[in-house]
Structures are given as structure tokens and as C-alpha cells.
Amino acid sequence: VPGEGGTSWRRRPKPREFLIMSGASRQLALFLCVCSVAALGVQAEDAQYVAAVYEHRSILSLDPLSLISRTQALELMNQNLDIYEQQVMIAAQKGVQIIVFPEDGIHGFNFTRISIYPFLDLMPSPHLDKWNPCLEPQRFNDTEVLQRLSCMAIKGQMFLVANLGTKEPCHSSDPGCPDDGRYQFNTNVVFSSNGTLVSRYRKHNLYFEAAFDTPLEVDHSIFDTPFAGKFGTFTCFDILFFEPAVSILRDPEVKHIVYPTAWMNQLPLLAAIQIQRGFSIAFGINFLAANIHHPSLGMTGSGIHTPLKSFWHHDMESPEGRLIIAQIAKNPPGLISTGNTTSKMDIAHSKLLKILAGDLYSEKDAEDIHCDGAPEGNMSAPPTFNSEMMYDNFTLVPVWGKEGYLQVCADGLCCHLHYLRPTLSNELYSLGVFDGLHTVHGTYYVQACALVKCGGLGFDTCGQEITESTGIFDFHLWGNFSTSYIFPMLLTSGMTLETPDQVGWENGHYFLRKSGLSSGLVTAALYGRVYERD
């Protein structure tokens, strides 16, 4: 994706003191919340479906700023589509029913508005009758990519989700019509297993993408499947905003999200797999995320996430892509009543739907999970200091000793930590709080409580990007958030996702509890978004 001027890679500048991720190669991993699985029992095979996501190392244009012909653009895109087709056929042999490919995977990035034009397919109006590009290739011009994707879906007998650049002509009477007489969109498309185009979504929250336009209206793209009901879709940076990522979940039947992305990892709070898993847990849904694979740009991290387990891939060393296949529940475990049939949603999800519908939120409704009261404050509190984390000015306190209780506050948000460390390591950890408007590479209001490993032993290293640690914690982290939209994040050494023991509301506070980490803690965070204050 191009920068503002269309001439630089989409790389977030990092302060010099930030550490470069070591990126130890990690294989596909599965984590189960044992107690929850035991309560739910084994899912019947017909209550599950098989999904796939492909982290693709795209073949890029050597000079994305140059003007080339449509024929030359198709030659490049067909190289990527050849790889897509290979993955579809591998997935078909495994019984996959839906596959997701990443953002920018077909055409690449770093274009200008003019130089990307030969790479754009024409997107017909969604109000037209159903169209099958593979079977009706002559119906519209400049739809070669859509035709290939449609034929892949037929060949693999699966639903297929991909991202491409599209164009839509507009008239000068349209007040939003660009001077060149066309809209250019970053677009997700969905094909059914018979090749029919069943949905399209135009990215709403662009991330320095000068080649594309923002749609005048937000697309709420939902499609139905015979194997798992309703799915929604959005793209990359959209995940941090209410529209459409949260609003699409107002439909209680949407229990699955397909998510093409080209995400650059930024620790300690916004690595790709962190936010993907956090979204899945926060909303109790299945989240199918396909990221682009360009480790030199910090781009890796894909997964098939459910509220109770994740299948993921994060690899900063290998140049190869990765196909992830998993069998997951049609009704995500977080939405199933453990004492009854799969058709009934639990109380917590019903209350979430009230929040999404805009109903008044009450503290009584929030008390779904009970936790112990906070211990008394320490007689001698540790020093408070400030350090930059995620380009924001966090207020922090050091986490010293084998056990204790800490509190740190800023601008109305107070974060609390009760912790026990079986053994001490020669590492500095800190508890941080931020309650304010984030203004770097996007403007959005954040409330965050974060327990993080610092880059060194000095306070000024807290907030740096690290991926390895040895410190083991049993802990209870909570805060008095003013928002209902909080993403729990739990990351351990080697970019390993862990499952919280419990998350939920208690007496107006949102909490995360975990004991028995499998490896050293990197980040435990509650990342809240206050959308109305953006």
C-alpha cells in the first residue's frame, strides 16, 4: 500500500531505541482452553466446518510507479493467481469449504492513483442480478481477475474470499466523483462454490492508500453459506474502527468474519495475531485472517481464531507463504450455552448484542464473571514514570518482586494488577496505562491497560518491541474502562498466543485473568477503543 506520496513502503517509522523483532520461526500452533473444552464437550462433526487462510508472499511490481499496459499488469497478477490456484487445490484435497486470501496479494502495493489503473478490474453494480464471471466472461470488460477467482471457486468447490483493486465509473453530476471520472477501491470479493459473486466490500478506513478512494457510504457486507450461516467481511485497518467492523456484528447471526489484511506488526500491542485474536475473544466470533507475507516489511501473522483457540502463523525468517487449515465450530464456543443446545446463545452474548444495538448498558448486566476483590494497596508504592509505547505517552509503574498489587492511573482510567511470580528473572516488567487520542498513523481514541516486558532494565526501555522473554506470571489485570469495546491480548515468548483463563466485567471493571503460562510473558493487555471520541 503506498504512502501519502505513493513513493515509500508502508513502513511505520520506529524510534531508534526500539528493538527489531528477532522473528524466530514459529510453526502453526494450536492452543486449547482445557477447562472450556471440557465443559463444552466434543463438537459433532456436522456442527463444524473446514476453513483455510493463506499467508501469501506476493510477487511485486519492480517499479510500481511506472505506467504499464493492462496486458503487462495481467501478466504480473496471473503469477500471483497461479499461486492462489495451487493453494485452492491443496485446500480442496483437505475438504476446505471456505478459503481467505490477503489484502494486496494479487496486485501488490506502492502504487499511485494513475499507476495502479491497469491493475484494476471493473466492478459491476451490486444491484445487478447475480453474476458468475467464470461462466459469463463476456458480460463485462476488464474483469479477468474476477473471472480467474470465480473459476478457482468452482474448481475447488469452495467459497473463496480475495482482495483486489477495482474501478467504478461515475458521472460528473455525482458530487463525489473524482476528476478522472472513476472511483478506485480496495475491494474484497466473495465467490460461492459455484463461482457466483455473492458479496463485495470496499475498504472504508484506508491506511495511507493514495491509489484508492474512500466509499461515500460504508459497505456492510454479509453473505450466507450453506455450511456455517452468515459471514461478514472487512479489511486490515478497518479492525480498529466502529464502522464497519463492530457495526456489522449488530446482526446476531453473523458469527464469522473473513479478513484480508496487509498488516505491519507493531509490538507490544498491535502485532497482527494479537489484534486478530483479541477481536475474536471480544466479540465471541470466529475470525479468519489472511495477512500478506513480507518479513522485511514486518508483514506476517495470519490465523483462524475462535474465542477458545487459535491456529496461527507468524514467521519473520522464512520467505515462503503458509496455508493454514482448521476445523472449527459453526457456532463459536463463546456463543453456545454449555447447558443446552447449540441454538441458544449464552447470557453474555445476549448482553453484547444489547450493547451493539445501542441499548443502555448497566453495571448489573456486566457482572457475568465474578472475581476476587482487589487487595489493599502497597504501603510503599513503586515510582511512577512515563515512556513512549505505540507512539503514545504511557504512565507506568515497575513490577518488582515475586508478588504484589499495583495501581496506575491516567486521565480517569485506573489499571490494577495482582500478580504472583513462581521465580524471578533478570528482566524488567511494567504496568502501563494510556487514556487518550492516538494521533500517529491514524487518529483514534484508546484506553489501554498493559503489562509488558521492557526492552532492558531501564525505565526508558519500557514500550520497546521485544519478542522473547522468560518471566512467568500468574496474574489478574483489570481497569475501570468507560468503553464496552475491549480487546484482550495475551502474548508470550516467540510470538506465541495464549488463551486467558477468564475475561469479563466485575463491578464496572473489565478484567483478564491467567495462570500457568507456557512461556515467558511478553504482553498482557486490555486494549479499549472509545469510538465516539475519535
Side-chain angles (χ1 to χ4, degrees):
V1 179
E4 288 282 10
T7 59
S8 61
W9 293 106
R10 191 174 69 177
R11 182 192 296 275
R12 291 188 177 102
K14 296 179 172 60
R16 284 181 294 177
E17 69 271 18
F18 272 33
L19 300 181
I20 302 300
M21 290 187 292
S22 65
S25 178
R26 295 295 157 189
Q27 301 300 317
L28 179 65
L30 164 65
F31 279 85
L32 300 175
C33 180
V34 177
C35 61
S36 299
V37 171
L40 291 171
V42 178
Q43 294 287 328
E45 187 170 335
D46 61 359
Q48 298 182 325
Y49 69 99
V50 183
V53 300
Y54 182 60
E55 181 163 309
H56 174 53
R57 181 177 178 84
S58 55
I59 299 169
L60 302 173
S61 171
L62 296 178
D63 185 6
L65 302 182
S66 65
L67 301 180
I68 63 174
S69 67
R70 173 68 172 174
T71 299
Q72 291 171 310
L74 286 171
E75 288 176 357
L76 175 68
M77 292 191 289
N78 276 322
Q79 293 180 63
N80 287 307
L81 289 167
D82 288 343
I83 299 172
Y84 278 25
E85 187 164 348
Q86 293 169 7
Q87 300 305 316
V88 166
M89 299 318 299
I90 294 171
Q93 295 173 2
K94 304 292 185 181
V96 167
Q97 294 160 285
I98 185 168
I99 189 168
V100 185
F101 291 100
E103 181 186 23
D104 300 335
I106 297 172
H107 56 273
F109 36 74
N110 214 32
F111 295 96
T112 67
R113 180 177 182 85
I114 296 174
S115 68
I116 201 174
Y117 182 72
F119 293 84
L120 304 179
D121 264 35
L122 175 70
M123 176 56 66
S125 169
H127 303 297
L128 294 177
D129 293 336
K130 293 293 185 182
W131 174 45
N132 189 311
C134 186
L135 302 182
E136 304 172 272
Q138 305 304 321
R139 188 170 177 183
F140 303 101
N141 294 325
D142 292 340
T143 57
E144 293 90 342
V145 174
L146 292 170
Q147 292 169 33
R148 279 210 67 180
L149 293 170
S150 171
C151 292
M152 282 183 215
I154 294 174
K155 194 172 182 180
Q157 286 295 288
M158 66 184 68
F159 274 65
L160 185 149
V161 183
N163 174 272
L164 73 159
T166 63
K167 58 187 177 183
E168 298 179 24
C170 55
H171 194 271
S172 58
S173 60
D174 177 352
C177 184
D179 293 339
D180 52 20
R182 64 179 181 269
Y183 290 110
Q184 298 182 177
F185 295 120
N186 178 332
T187 306
N188 295 345
V189 289
V190 183
F191 295 93
S192 69
S193 57
N194 67 10
T196 300
L197 179 63
V198 295
S199 185
R200 70 102 167 91
Y201 167 74
R202 301 167 301 175
K203 186 177 181 182
H204 190 73
N205 299 285
L206 299 174
Y207 188 83
F208 303 106
E209 299 171 62
F212 294 119
D213 299 304
T214 299
L216 299 181
E217 296 182 355
V218 179
D219 291 341
H220 295 100
S221 298
I222 297 172
F223 60 96
D224 205 358
T225 68
F227 52 84
K230 289 185 178 181
F231 285 69
T233 184
F234 50 85
T235 310
C236 202
F237 200 40
D238 287 327
I239 199 171
L240 293 180
F241 298 90
F242 187 86
E243 291 287 1
V246 178
S247 63
I248 201 172
L249 296 174
R250 282 176 163 161
D251 184 337
E253 295 182 3
V254 176
K255 300 177 182 178
H256 320 268
I257 294 293
V258 288
Y259 177 70
T261 185
W263 190 277
M264 297 185 69
N265 292 293
Q266 188 181 14
L267 290 166
L269 300 181
L270 285 180
I273 57 174
Q274 273 182 304
I275 189 63
Q276 294 163 14
R277 183 71 196 283
F279 197 94
S280 173
I281 294 173
F283 293 107
I285 58 167
N286 292 332
F287 197 82
L288 283 54
N291 198 5
I292 207 81
H293 187 77
H294 288 286
S296 64
L297 302 176
M299 303 171 90
T300 182
S302 304
I304 298 172
H305 308 277
T306 80
L308 296 182
K309 59 184 176 182
S310 283
F311 306 77
W312 80 91
H313 177 70
H314 177 103
D315 190 338
M316 287 290 291
E317 293 183 349
S318 171
E320 303 301 323
R322 174 63 66 91
L323 180 66
I324 305 171
I325 298 174
Q327 187 175 57
I328 56 177
K330 295 179 182 180
N331 290 294
L335 305 183
I336 300 174
S337 172
T338 58
N340 212 319
T341 66
T342 58
S343 63
K344 290 190 176 182
M345 294 181 293
D346 65 14
I347 296 173
H349 186 61
S350 298
K351 290 169 183 173
L352 168 64
L353 295 177
K354 287 183 181 180
I355 295 171
L356 295 177
D359 293 348
L360 290 177
Y361 173 79
S362 72
E363 183 176 301
K364 183 177 183 296
D365 282 346
E367 295 177 8
D368 298 321
I369 304 175
H370 296 284
C371 58
D372 298 330
E376 295 296 325
N378 293 342
M379 294 299 292
S380 57
T384 299
F385 63 96
N386 292 89
S387 187
E388 184 179 89
M389 186 189 307
M390 309 296 298
Y391 305 110
D392 295 320
N393 184 28
F394 272 69
T395 302
L396 305 103
V397 291
V399 180
W400 290 335
K402 293 191 66 173
E403 62 179 302
Y405 163 71
L406 296 171
Q407 172 182 296
V408 62
C409 301
D411 299 308
L413 175 62
C414 287
C415 303
H416 308 261
L417 176 70
H418 188 207
Y419 65 95
L420 173 66
R421 304 184 65 180
T423 58
L424 288 176
S425 60
N426 187 31
E427 298 167 307
L428 175 63
Y429 284 83
S430 63
L431 172 67
V433 59
F434 179 75
D435 184 354
L437 191 66
H438 175 88
T439 58
V440 179
H441 306 302
T443 301
Y444 46 92
Y445 201 99
V446 174
Q447 289 187 330
C449 294
L451 169 60
V452 297
K453 182 198 167 185
C454 304
L457 297 180
F459 289 172
D460 61 342
T461 69
C462 296
Q464 292 181 358
E465 299 195 34
I466 63 102
T467 60
E468 304 297 329
S469 61
T470 61
I472 302 296
F473 284 78
D474 295 341
F475 66 91
H476 182 185
L477 173 68
W478 70 102
N480 62 330
F481 292 86
S482 64
T483 178
S484 301
Y485 304 103
I486 302 162
F487 305 99
M489 298 176 177
L490 189 51
L491 191 68
T492 60
S493 191
M495 297 300 294
T496 302
L497 291 174
E498 294 260 1
T499 300
D501 294 337
Q502 285 184 309
V503 295
W505 289 94
E506 166 75 8
N507 296 326
H509 291 70
Y510 193 88
F511 74 90
L512 182 158
R513 179 183 289 167
K514 180 65 179 179
S515 61
L517 291 175
S518 64
S519 58
L521 180 68
V522 172
T523 301
L526 299 171
Y527 190 85
R529 282 284 287 112
V530 189
Y531 301 111
E532 64 271 21
R533 299 183 69 178
D534 286 356

